[in-house]
Amino acid sequence: MTERFLSAYNNFVLPFLFGMGFVLIYCLIAMIRIWLQLSADDKKKVLLSLVNPKILLKDIRDLFCDCLFHVKLWKRNKLLGYMHSSIAFGWFMLIVVGHIECFCYFPGRLKTFYYPIFFRFFVAESQSTMQGSFFFFLMDFFLLMVLSGIVLAIIKRIRSRLFGMRRTTNLSLTDLIGLYSLWAIFPLRLFAEGFTADIAGGSFLTKSLNIVFHSFLGNHLNMLPTWWAYSIALGVFMFILPFTRYMHIPSEIMLIPLRNAGIQISNPRKGLAKVMVYTCPSCGVCIDACPMGITKRNNRDATVYLNRQLKRKNEGRIEEISDKCLLCGKCGAVCQVQIPGDKLRIAQRSLRKYDVSPDYSTIDAASLTPRAEGKVLYFAGCMTALTPAISKAMESILRKAGVDYEFMDKDGGLCCGRPLWMAGRLEEAKQLIAKNEELINGSGATTLLVSCPICYRVFKERYKLGDIRVVHHTVYIDELIAAGKLKVESADELSYVFHDPCELGRGCGIYDQPREVISRMGKLVEADKSHDESICCGGSMGSLTLGFEKRQAMTENALRNLTSENPDAIVTACPLCRSTFARYADRPVEDIAEIVDKKTL
Amino acid sequence: MDFGFGIAPSSSINLDKVDLSLYRKVKEVEPDIERCMACGSCSATCPAAKFSGMSVRKVILGLQRGQQKEVRKMLSNCMLCGKCNMVCPRGINTRHLILSVCRYFDMKEEQK
């Protein structure tokens, strides 16, 4: 390889250099601002995580798996996965191999940003070597990889269903400019390298192109405009990048160490939340996932649009979107970059100022404290109080199993605090949690048995209960049966489908125990979408503004999903899901405790 | 167009000095408040009732009568659990109603 120009410079590199400089400075300033917004505790956590080899390894693994290979997308849809990883990984390798090539031949030129990028323009092939043709092949191979991804991306714009997506995001104008400039970069690169293939060498792609279209590509007068076009496409893309969804590329690199350090969202506009909002690639997977999407008008309330409005600081829409959400958490479960849409919304709700704030200090804890020394304390919760069939069944099961228990809120008790938490009234929720902690810790119980997943989640996540074990009734029943304390009388021929309540499944990760229990009672069938993709019943306490009528379509949609295998009965483990489904279902809807009570001795 | 006759403006005099601004404001964001038929299902299920006498039925009534102080007292122990929401036969979004009252409640107005 020899250099074609002594100066090793041509004006066409300027658009690229400006774009590159702009994006680097922008990202650096953004990074510093985010860092300053983190609380002292969070900063400490992040710094400690960077010296912890275990977390550091996870960071590196996530960087490769998420940013380059898009492993989560591959699992979702092969074509979608290939499309994204071919562009990301292919482009990354083009840059890396380009730099290695430059390093091998002209290491002195590495310090100019542009030289490795426009390597083929500045060099001439003096003799063909194995090493040279190896690099040529690699460069052409990865270019082909990216080009195939671009072709798929164009097809996806026209027919997204081929990629397993029913609906995609409506792109904003800047997003479209970014998209088109990104699409333009690689064909232009192919073209530009096709011109220089007879000078700087090339492989199966560029060389062949040069030979086939020799009358055009062989004419070196056409060469410079094409390199200019390539450089301008790169420059435009980089200039517009911070204002488009492509900001997710640098953002995700920052998000991964922050997330792995275990810090939590505190303000929806600052620190971690801000990185998350900018990491949203607007892919639109959450639009199909959102249970509200069954009503077409609600499509614009998916997390992808919340993120967009947060970037635009459109307060009216931000409030509307965050108040409407059911907080089922499904968008977070399907999200490619794991943005917890529910937590973002709760943080947004917590910003609101109220003139009246509840005060629970007057509630006399002593009179409410149950006596349960060494016993199991059963907390039914508010929702179970409205579905007494569940608490009756639960009591009957406990008696049959010979468990010494105490019913904590038989005559009504305090709320667990989760509904307040979901409404964003965090301080009030903490007060209520403290009150309940006083009651439960004062009871002397060994186990806290809960039959409501809403309560269960907050007990698990927020309560400090010392040695008291918190257990959901699905898990407890499973244990009782496994230990032989409950005898199954007769498994019948009926088939059951299990509905994963949002708070139990996605919220607490309990999927297997209820299924284990049901399969002992009869035939277990699965819904069309289940486990972490189960569809919210529509009755959730999470939504503040959705009225009764507006939820009907969601409930009916969830029921259609559950009855795809035509089961004889629907089983759930949440009193709220149970009463919501019972309203519209065409077959019996029962809590897991009721089924078990009927079928055990 | 003048037909030579018109409808006389209402000559009724409202002697009620009640301040209904809060009620109107809440009605604006939660129009369903008008659907309440005062059945009392919400009062029957409310877990906060025994602490602060909370009852959504009474809150709505209090708003209509301009009894801000009583409303505030009742709301002081509401745990937003949503039972009233579930039992309401008129499908009123009571949680949003309560939150809206808390939000638009003007403390300075009450002290006057």
PDB file of all heavy atoms in Angstrom, chain A residues 143 147 184-197 206 209-210 213 216-217 222-223 225-227 229-230:
ATOM      1  N   LEU A 143     -19.610  -4.798   4.803  1.00  0.00           N
ATOM      2  CA  LEU A 143     -20.421  -3.830   4.069  1.00  0.00           C
ATOM      3  C   LEU A 143     -21.667  -4.522   3.518  1.00  0.00           C
ATOM      4  O   LEU A 143     -22.780  -3.991   3.604  1.00  0.00           O
ATOM      5  CB  LEU A 143     -19.592  -3.210   2.937  1.00  0.00           C
ATOM      6  CG  LEU A 143     -20.271  -2.067   2.186  1.00  0.00           C
ATOM      7  CD1 LEU A 143     -20.622  -0.946   3.138  1.00  0.00           C
ATOM      8  CD2 LEU A 143     -19.379  -1.530   1.074  1.00  0.00           C
ATOM      9  N   LEU A 147     -25.528  -3.648   4.292  1.00  0.00           N
ATOM     10  CA  LEU A 147     -26.447  -3.371   3.182  1.00  0.00           C
ATOM     11  C   LEU A 147     -27.669  -4.278   3.240  1.00  0.00           C
ATOM     12  O   LEU A 147     -28.792  -3.833   3.012  1.00  0.00           O
ATOM     13  CB  LEU A 147     -25.717  -3.549   1.849  1.00  0.00           C
ATOM     14  CG  LEU A 147     -24.788  -2.384   1.471  1.00  0.00           C
ATOM     15  CD1 LEU A 147     -23.945  -2.756   0.270  1.00  0.00           C
ATOM     16  CD2 LEU A 147     -25.595  -1.117   1.179  1.00  0.00           C
ATOM     17  N   ALA A 184     -28.714   6.193   3.414  1.00  0.00           N
ATOM     18  CA  ALA A 184     -27.887   6.644   2.292  1.00  0.00           C
ATOM     19  C   ALA A 184     -26.413   6.315   2.494  1.00  0.00           C
ATOM     20  O   ALA A 184     -25.684   6.103   1.531  1.00  0.00           O
ATOM     21  CB  ALA A 184     -28.066   8.143   2.101  1.00  0.00           C
ATOM     22  N   ILE A 185     -25.976   6.277   3.757  1.00  0.00           N
ATOM     23  CA  ILE A 185     -24.543   6.141   4.030  1.00  0.00           C
ATOM     24  C   ILE A 185     -23.929   4.929   3.324  1.00  0.00           C
ATOM     25  O   ILE A 185     -22.921   5.038   2.614  1.00  0.00           O
ATOM     26  CB  ILE A 185     -24.294   6.041   5.551  1.00  0.00           C
ATOM     27  CG1 ILE A 185     -24.569   7.380   6.223  1.00  0.00           C
ATOM     28  CG2 ILE A 185     -22.845   5.613   5.834  1.00  0.00           C
ATOM     29  CD1 ILE A 185     -24.529   7.316   7.737  1.00  0.00           C
ATOM     30  N   PHE A 186     -24.571   3.759   3.456  1.00  0.00           N
ATOM     31  CA  PHE A 186     -23.889   2.535   3.030  1.00  0.00           C
ATOM     32  C   PHE A 186     -23.919   2.289   1.531  1.00  0.00           C
ATOM     33  O   PHE A 186     -22.890   1.899   0.962  1.00  0.00           O
ATOM     34  CB  PHE A 186     -24.398   1.359   3.859  1.00  0.00           C
ATOM     35  CG  PHE A 186     -24.098   1.581   5.306  1.00  0.00           C
ATOM     36  CD1 PHE A 186     -25.053   2.096   6.167  1.00  0.00           C
ATOM     37  CD2 PHE A 186     -22.821   1.383   5.791  1.00  0.00           C
ATOM     38  CE1 PHE A 186     -24.757   2.363   7.485  1.00  0.00           C
ATOM     39  CE2 PHE A 186     -22.508   1.655   7.107  1.00  0.00           C
ATOM     40  CZ  PHE A 186     -23.471   2.144   7.960  1.00  0.00           C
ATOM     41  N   PRO A 187     -25.030   2.555   0.844  1.00  0.00           N
ATOM     42  CA  PRO A 187     -24.946   2.466  -0.619  1.00  0.00           C
ATOM     43  C   PRO A 187     -23.915   3.450  -1.175  1.00  0.00           C
ATOM     44  O   PRO A 187     -23.176   3.111  -2.107  1.00  0.00           O
ATOM     45  CB  PRO A 187     -26.358   2.845  -1.076  1.00  0.00           C
ATOM     46  CG  PRO A 187     -27.230   2.565   0.087  1.00  0.00           C
ATOM     47  CD  PRO A 187     -26.390   2.798   1.303  1.00  0.00           C
ATOM     48  N   LEU A 188     -23.845   4.637  -0.554  1.00  0.00           N
ATOM     49  CA  LEU A 188     -22.860   5.611  -1.033  1.00  0.00           C
ATOM     50  C   LEU A 188     -21.447   5.119  -0.790  1.00  0.00           C
ATOM     51  O   LEU A 188     -20.552   5.329  -1.606  1.00  0.00           O
ATOM     52  CB  LEU A 188     -23.079   6.964  -0.346  1.00  0.00           C
ATOM     53  CG  LEU A 188     -24.249   7.781  -0.901  1.00  0.00           C
ATOM     54  CD1 LEU A 188     -24.503   9.006  -0.045  1.00  0.00           C
ATOM     55  CD2 LEU A 188     -23.965   8.200  -2.341  1.00  0.00           C
ATOM     56  N   ARG A 189     -21.250   4.453   0.326  1.00  0.00           N
ATOM     57  CA  ARG A 189     -19.920   3.924   0.623  1.00  0.00           C
ATOM     58  C   ARG A 189     -19.538   2.856  -0.406  1.00  0.00           C
ATOM     59  O   ARG A 189     -18.424   2.828  -0.919  1.00  0.00           O
ATOM     60  CB  ARG A 189     -19.920   3.331   2.028  1.00  0.00           C
ATOM     61  CG  ARG A 189     -18.574   2.720   2.362  1.00  0.00           C
ATOM     62  CD  ARG A 189     -18.529   2.168   3.747  1.00  0.00           C
ATOM     63  NE  ARG A 189     -17.201   1.582   3.947  1.00  0.00           N
ATOM     64  CZ  ARG A 189     -16.450   1.816   4.997  1.00  0.00           C
ATOM     65  NH1 ARG A 189     -16.868   2.611   5.944  1.00  0.00           N
ATOM     66  NH2 ARG A 189     -15.260   1.251   5.111  1.00  0.00           N
ATOM     67  N   LEU A 190     -20.528   2.006  -0.707  1.00  0.00           N
ATOM     68  CA  LEU A 190     -20.289   0.955  -1.706  1.00  0.00           C
ATOM     69  C   LEU A 190     -19.893   1.586  -3.041  1.00  0.00           C
ATOM     70  O   LEU A 190     -18.939   1.172  -3.706  1.00  0.00           O
ATOM     71  CB  LEU A 190     -21.563   0.114  -1.866  1.00  0.00           C
ATOM     72  CG  LEU A 190     -21.551  -0.930  -2.967  1.00  0.00           C
ATOM     73  CD1 LEU A 190     -20.594  -2.050  -2.606  1.00  0.00           C
ATOM     74  CD2 LEU A 190     -22.934  -1.497  -3.204  1.00  0.00           C
ATOM     75  N   PHE A 191     -20.627   2.597  -3.397  1.00  0.00           N
ATOM     76  CA  PHE A 191     -20.413   3.311  -4.637  1.00  0.00           C
ATOM     77  C   PHE A 191     -19.024   3.946  -4.661  1.00  0.00           C
ATOM     78  O   PHE A 191     -18.254   3.783  -5.601  1.00  0.00           O
ATOM     79  CB  PHE A 191     -21.483   4.399  -4.687  1.00  0.00           C
ATOM     80  CG  PHE A 191     -22.024   4.647  -6.041  1.00  0.00           C
ATOM     81  CD1 PHE A 191     -22.152   3.620  -6.961  1.00  0.00           C
ATOM     82  CD2 PHE A 191     -22.423   5.916  -6.402  1.00  0.00           C
ATOM     83  CE1 PHE A 191     -22.655   3.862  -8.213  1.00  0.00           C
ATOM     84  CE2 PHE A 191     -22.926   6.167  -7.655  1.00  0.00           C
ATOM     85  CZ  PHE A 191     -23.043   5.143  -8.563  1.00  0.00           C
ATOM     86  N   ALA A 192     -18.722   4.678  -3.561  1.00  0.00           N
ATOM     87  CA  ALA A 192     -17.451   5.391  -3.479  1.00  0.00           C
ATOM     88  C   ALA A 192     -16.285   4.415  -3.527  1.00  0.00           C
ATOM     89  O   ALA A 192     -15.294   4.638  -4.229  1.00  0.00           O
ATOM     90  CB  ALA A 192     -17.403   6.224  -2.202  1.00  0.00           C
ATOM     91  N   GLU A 193     -16.406   3.298  -2.810  1.00  0.00           N
ATOM     92  CA  GLU A 193     -15.309   2.331  -2.810  1.00  0.00           C
ATOM     93  C   GLU A 193     -15.244   1.584  -4.129  1.00  0.00           C
ATOM     94  O   GLU A 193     -14.198   1.073  -4.511  1.00  0.00           O
ATOM     95  CB  GLU A 193     -15.440   1.375  -1.622  1.00  0.00           C
ATOM     96  CG  GLU A 193     -15.199   2.099  -0.306  1.00  0.00           C
ATOM     97  CD  GLU A 193     -15.004   1.173   0.871  1.00  0.00           C
ATOM     98  OE1 GLU A 193     -15.400   0.003   0.766  1.00  0.00           O
ATOM     99  OE2 GLU A 193     -14.464   1.634   1.885  1.00  0.00           O
ATOM    100  N   GLY A 194     -16.399   1.528  -4.826  1.00  0.00           N
ATOM    101  CA  GLY A 194     -16.413   0.920  -6.155  1.00  0.00           C
ATOM    102  C   GLY A 194     -15.529   1.725  -7.103  1.00  0.00           C
ATOM    103  O   GLY A 194     -14.811   1.177  -7.933  1.00  0.00           O
ATOM    104  N   PHE A 195     -15.547   3.054  -6.972  1.00  0.00           N
ATOM    105  CA  PHE A 195     -14.723   3.915  -7.820  1.00  0.00           C
ATOM    106  C   PHE A 195     -13.245   3.687  -7.609  1.00  0.00           C
ATOM    107  O   PHE A 195     -12.459   3.683  -8.541  1.00  0.00           O
ATOM    108  CB  PHE A 195     -15.029   5.386  -7.511  1.00  0.00           C
ATOM    109  CG  PHE A 195     -16.152   5.931  -8.328  1.00  0.00           C
ATOM    110  CD1 PHE A 195     -17.368   6.212  -7.741  1.00  0.00           C
ATOM    111  CD2 PHE A 195     -15.996   6.153  -9.677  1.00  0.00           C
ATOM    112  CE1 PHE A 195     -18.409   6.716  -8.491  1.00  0.00           C
ATOM    113  CE2 PHE A 195     -17.033   6.657 -10.429  1.00  0.00           C
ATOM    114  CZ  PHE A 195     -18.250   6.940  -9.835  1.00  0.00           C
ATOM    115  N   THR A 196     -12.884   3.508  -6.330  1.00  0.00           N
ATOM    116  CA  THR A 196     -11.455   3.403  -6.043  1.00  0.00           C
ATOM    117  C   THR A 196     -10.967   1.964  -6.063  1.00  0.00           C
ATOM    118  O   THR A 196      -9.795   1.724  -5.808  1.00  0.00           O
ATOM    119  CB  THR A 196     -11.151   4.021  -4.667  1.00  0.00           C
ATOM    120  OG1 THR A 196     -12.164   3.605  -3.773  1.00  0.00           O
ATOM    121  CG2 THR A 196     -11.114   5.519  -4.742  1.00  0.00           C
ATOM    122  N   ALA A 197     -11.880   1.003  -6.388  1.00  0.00           N
ATOM    123  CA  ALA A 197     -11.486  -0.408  -6.286  1.00  0.00           C
ATOM    124  C   ALA A 197     -10.324  -0.736  -7.220  1.00  0.00           C
ATOM    125  O   ALA A 197      -9.495  -1.578  -6.910  1.00  0.00           O
ATOM    126  CB  ALA A 197     -12.673  -1.306  -6.566  1.00  0.00           C
ATOM    127  N   THR A 206     -16.855  -4.635  -4.076  1.00  0.00           N
ATOM    128  CA  THR A 206     -16.436  -3.383  -4.701  1.00  0.00           C
ATOM    129  C   THR A 206     -15.694  -3.619  -6.010  1.00  0.00           C
ATOM    130  O   THR A 206     -15.921  -2.933  -6.999  1.00  0.00           O
ATOM    131  CB  THR A 206     -15.545  -2.585  -3.737  1.00  0.00           C
ATOM    132  OG1 THR A 206     -14.648  -3.491  -3.101  1.00  0.00           O
ATOM    133  CG2 THR A 206     -16.380  -1.917  -2.674  1.00  0.00           C
ATOM    134  N   LEU A 209     -18.066  -4.674  -8.704  1.00  0.00           N
ATOM    135  CA  LEU A 209     -18.867  -3.528  -9.121  1.00  0.00           C
ATOM    136  C   LEU A 209     -18.068  -2.673 -10.100  1.00  0.00           C
ATOM    137  O   LEU A 209     -18.575  -2.237 -11.128  1.00  0.00           O
ATOM    138  CB  LEU A 209     -19.241  -2.705  -7.878  1.00  0.00           C
ATOM    139  CG  LEU A 209     -20.429  -1.771  -8.020  1.00  0.00           C
ATOM    140  CD1 LEU A 209     -21.710  -2.590  -8.118  1.00  0.00           C
ATOM    141  CD2 LEU A 209     -20.518  -0.832  -6.822  1.00  0.00           C
ATOM    142  N   ASN A 210     -16.795  -2.485  -9.755  1.00  0.00           N
ATOM    143  CA  ASN A 210     -15.931  -1.671 -10.597  1.00  0.00           C
ATOM    144  C   ASN A 210     -15.763  -2.292 -11.973  1.00  0.00           C
ATOM    145  O   ASN A 210     -15.769  -1.599 -12.987  1.00  0.00           O
ATOM    146  CB  ASN A 210     -14.569  -1.517  -9.903  1.00  0.00           C
ATOM    147  CG  ASN A 210     -13.663  -0.554 -10.640  1.00  0.00           C
ATOM    148  OD1 ASN A 210     -13.138  -0.888 -11.687  1.00  0.00           O
ATOM    149  ND2 ASN A 210     -13.526   0.647 -10.092  1.00  0.00           N
ATOM    150  N   PHE A 213     -19.402  -2.211 -13.964  1.00  0.00           N
ATOM    151  CA  PHE A 213     -19.783  -0.876 -14.447  1.00  0.00           C
ATOM    152  C   PHE A 213     -18.548  -0.046 -14.785  1.00  0.00           C
ATOM    153  O   PHE A 213     -18.433   1.108 -14.408  1.00  0.00           O
ATOM    154  CB  PHE A 213     -20.621  -0.153 -13.392  1.00  0.00           C
ATOM    155  CG  PHE A 213     -21.899  -0.877 -13.083  1.00  0.00           C
ATOM    156  CD1 PHE A 213     -22.046  -1.597 -11.909  1.00  0.00           C
ATOM    157  CD2 PHE A 213     -22.965  -0.842 -13.988  1.00  0.00           C
ATOM    158  CE1 PHE A 213     -23.221  -2.263 -11.641  1.00  0.00           C
ATOM    159  CE2 PHE A 213     -24.140  -1.513 -13.709  1.00  0.00           C
ATOM    160  CZ  PHE A 213     -24.273  -2.224 -12.531  1.00  0.00           C
ATOM    161  N   PHE A 216     -18.503   3.588 -16.211  1.00  0.00           N
ATOM    162  CA  PHE A 216     -18.854   4.687 -15.304  1.00  0.00           C
ATOM    163  C   PHE A 216     -17.897   4.762 -14.114  1.00  0.00           C
ATOM    164  O   PHE A 216     -17.275   5.784 -13.856  1.00  0.00           O
ATOM    165  CB  PHE A 216     -20.295   4.493 -14.825  1.00  0.00           C
ATOM    166  CG  PHE A 216     -20.744   5.560 -13.867  1.00  0.00           C
ATOM    167  CD1 PHE A 216     -20.860   6.882 -14.282  1.00  0.00           C
ATOM    168  CD2 PHE A 216     -21.043   5.252 -12.545  1.00  0.00           C
ATOM    169  CE1 PHE A 216     -21.269   7.865 -13.407  1.00  0.00           C
ATOM    170  CE2 PHE A 216     -21.445   6.238 -11.662  1.00  0.00           C
ATOM    171  CZ  PHE A 216     -21.559   7.552 -12.097  1.00  0.00           C
ATOM    172  N   LEU A 217     -17.743   3.628 -13.437  1.00  0.00           N
ATOM    173  CA  LEU A 217     -16.927   3.635 -12.226  1.00  0.00           C
ATOM    174  C   LEU A 217     -15.435   3.724 -12.538  1.00  0.00           C
ATOM    175  O   LEU A 217     -14.631   4.079 -11.682  1.00  0.00           O
ATOM    176  CB  LEU A 217     -17.209   2.382 -11.392  1.00  0.00           C
ATOM    177  CG  LEU A 217     -18.607   2.309 -10.770  1.00  0.00           C
ATOM    178  CD1 LEU A 217     -18.774   1.008 -10.008  1.00  0.00           C
ATOM    179  CD2 LEU A 217     -18.848   3.464  -9.826  1.00  0.00           C
ATOM    180  N   ASN A 222     -15.502  11.001 -11.913  1.00  0.00           N
ATOM    181  CA  ASN A 222     -16.726  10.863 -11.118  1.00  0.00           C
ATOM    182  C   ASN A 222     -16.432  10.527  -9.665  1.00  0.00           C
ATOM    183  O   ASN A 222     -17.341  10.440  -8.840  1.00  0.00           O
ATOM    184  CB  ASN A 222     -17.610   9.740 -11.679  1.00  0.00           C
ATOM    185  CG  ASN A 222     -18.091  10.069 -13.062  1.00  0.00           C
ATOM    186  OD1 ASN A 222     -18.155  11.236 -13.431  1.00  0.00           O
ATOM    187  ND2 ASN A 222     -18.391   9.031 -13.836  1.00  0.00           N
ATOM    188  N   MET A 223     -15.188  10.306  -9.366  1.00  0.00           N
ATOM    189  CA  MET A 223     -14.835   9.739  -8.068  1.00  0.00           C
ATOM    190  C   MET A 223     -15.105  10.705  -6.918  1.00  0.00           C
ATOM    191  O   MET A 223     -15.804  10.382  -5.967  1.00  0.00           O
ATOM    192  CB  MET A 223     -13.356   9.377  -8.090  1.00  0.00           C
ATOM    193  CG  MET A 223     -12.912   8.583  -6.928  1.00  0.00           C
ATOM    194  SD  MET A 223     -11.493   7.638  -7.431  1.00  0.00           S
ATOM    195  CE  MET A 223     -10.214   8.747  -7.170  1.00  0.00           C
ATOM    196  N   PRO A 225     -16.989  13.474  -6.434  1.00  0.00           N
ATOM    197  CA  PRO A 225     -18.363  13.776  -5.990  1.00  0.00           C
ATOM    198  C   PRO A 225     -18.977  12.652  -5.152  1.00  0.00           C
ATOM    199  O   PRO A 225     -19.696  12.914  -4.190  1.00  0.00           O
ATOM    200  CB  PRO A 225     -19.135  13.936  -7.302  1.00  0.00           C
ATOM    201  CG  PRO A 225     -18.124  14.274  -8.313  1.00  0.00           C
ATOM    202  CD  PRO A 225     -16.841  13.634  -7.883  1.00  0.00           C
ATOM    203  N   THR A 226     -18.663  11.411  -5.493  1.00  0.00           N
ATOM    204  CA  THR A 226     -19.246  10.304  -4.731  1.00  0.00           C
ATOM    205  C   THR A 226     -18.682  10.245  -3.322  1.00  0.00           C
ATOM    206  O   THR A 226     -19.397   9.999  -2.363  1.00  0.00           O
ATOM    207  CB  THR A 226     -18.974   8.964  -5.435  1.00  0.00           C
ATOM    208  OG1 THR A 226     -18.944   9.195  -6.829  1.00  0.00           O
ATOM    209  CG2 THR A 226     -20.019   7.960  -5.091  1.00  0.00           C
ATOM    210  N   TRP A 227     -17.376  10.506  -3.198  1.00  0.00           N
ATOM    211  CA  TRP A 227     -16.792  10.538  -1.851  1.00  0.00           C
ATOM    212  C   TRP A 227     -17.351  11.702  -1.048  1.00  0.00           C
ATOM    213  O   TRP A 227     -17.579  11.606   0.148  1.00  0.00           O
ATOM    214  CB  TRP A 227     -15.262  10.595  -1.918  1.00  0.00           C
ATOM    215  CG  TRP A 227     -14.679   9.229  -2.202  1.00  0.00           C
ATOM    216  CD1 TRP A 227     -14.368   8.731  -3.419  1.00  0.00           C
ATOM    217  CD2 TRP A 227     -14.402   8.208  -1.239  1.00  0.00           C
ATOM    218  NE1 TRP A 227     -13.900   7.448  -3.293  1.00  0.00           N
ATOM    219  CE2 TRP A 227     -13.896   7.092  -1.964  1.00  0.00           C
ATOM    220  CE3 TRP A 227     -14.513   8.106   0.135  1.00  0.00           C
ATOM    221  CZ2 TRP A 227     -13.524   5.913  -1.344  1.00  0.00           C
ATOM    222  CZ3 TRP A 227     -14.123   6.926   0.752  1.00  0.00           C
ATOM    223  CH2 TRP A 227     -13.634   5.845   0.012  1.00  0.00           C
ATOM    224  N   ALA A 229     -20.363  12.893  -1.428  1.00  0.00           N
ATOM    225  CA  ALA A 229     -21.735  12.496  -1.043  1.00  0.00           C
ATOM    226  C   ALA A 229     -21.693  11.570   0.168  1.00  0.00           C
ATOM    227  O   ALA A 229     -22.486  11.713   1.111  1.00  0.00           O
ATOM    228  CB  ALA A 229     -22.424  11.805  -2.211  1.00  0.00           C
ATOM    229  N   TYR A 230     -20.739  10.642   0.161  1.00  0.00           N
ATOM    230  CA  TYR A 230     -20.600   9.711   1.286  1.00  0.00           C
ATOM    231  C   TYR A 230     -20.299  10.471   2.567  1.00  0.00           C
ATOM    232  O   TYR A 230     -20.923  10.260   3.623  1.00  0.00           O
ATOM    233  CB  TYR A 230     -19.494   8.710   0.936  1.00  0.00           C
ATOM    234  CG  TYR A 230     -19.085   7.793   2.060  1.00  0.00           C
ATOM    235  CD1 TYR A 230     -20.044   7.189   2.881  1.00  0.00           C
ATOM    236  CD2 TYR A 230     -17.737   7.489   2.288  1.00  0.00           C
ATOM    237  CE1 TYR A 230     -19.657   6.338   3.903  1.00  0.00           C
ATOM    238  CE2 TYR A 230     -17.356   6.646   3.301  1.00  0.00           C
ATOM    239  CZ  TYR A 230     -18.315   6.075   4.112  1.00  0.00           C
ATOM    240  OH  TYR A 230     -17.940   5.244   5.122  1.00  0.00           O
TER     241      TYR A 230
END
